[in-house]
Amino acid sequence: MTGIARWFMLMAVVSALGGMVWGIQMSASQDHLMSPAHGHLNLLGWVSCSIYAFYYNLLPDSAAGTLPKLHLAAVILTLALLIPGIPLAILERTELLAKSGSLAALASMLLFTVVVLRSRG
């Protein structure tokens, strides 16, 4: 796996490791308050990034150009905002990061939709 597919797979693996460690920590402490953030890290980080990696790897022509790079940037922004944002919202400190991260997640999926529609695999 090379190029942008590799970057998505690296994001997926880092997210999976973080999600596993976080899940073990929650289980050991018997405090599952942050499980929504843990779930989003696993779903958006591990699962979605893996799917993106496999897509770009299977259809390498779709990885060309600026759009896939914008997609990767939007996914990184999503994780950077949403994963700390959900705990902050749960703790009633601020919802700004969670809301911003949700919009970034929507933008990343819209970008991926355009990539898929433009692809001729």
Side-chain angles (χ1 to χ4, degrees):
M1 199 171 281
T2 60
I4 201 150
R6 180 169 171 75
W7 284 104
F8 274 110
M9 188 54 73
L10 288 171
M11 289 293 301
V13 170
V14 168
S15 296
L17 289 170
M20 288 176 174
V21 169
W22 201 354
I24 291 167
Q25 180 271 325
M26 285 190 293
S27 179
S29 69
Q30 296 183 358
D31 180 0
H32 299 278
L33 183 64
M34 297 302 158
S35 61
H38 160 77
H40 278 78
L41 177 58
N42 284 323
L43 183 59
L44 294 175
W46 167 233
V47 177
S48 293
C49 285
S50 293
I51 291 169
Y52 301 147
F54 287 122
Y55 181 85
Y56 287 119
N57 191 60
L58 289 171
L59 299 168
D61 290 345
S62 67
T66 304
L67 204 55
K69 291 179 181 88
L70 289 173
H71 177 219
L72 177 61
V75 168
I76 292 169
L77 181 63
T78 295
L79 293 173
L81 292 172
L82 199 55
I83 302 312
I86 293 171
L88 289 171
I90 290 170
L91 296 172
E92 298 180 352
R93 294 212 178 126
T94 181
E95 293 183 358
L96 182 62
L97 288 179
K99 289 177 180 179
S100 300
S102 296
L103 292 175
L106 178 61
S108 73
M109 187 52 71
L110 288 171
L111 287 166
F112 186 60
T113 300
V114 174
V115 168
V116 170
L117 290 173
R118 291 177 50 177
S119 179
R120 301 181 195 263

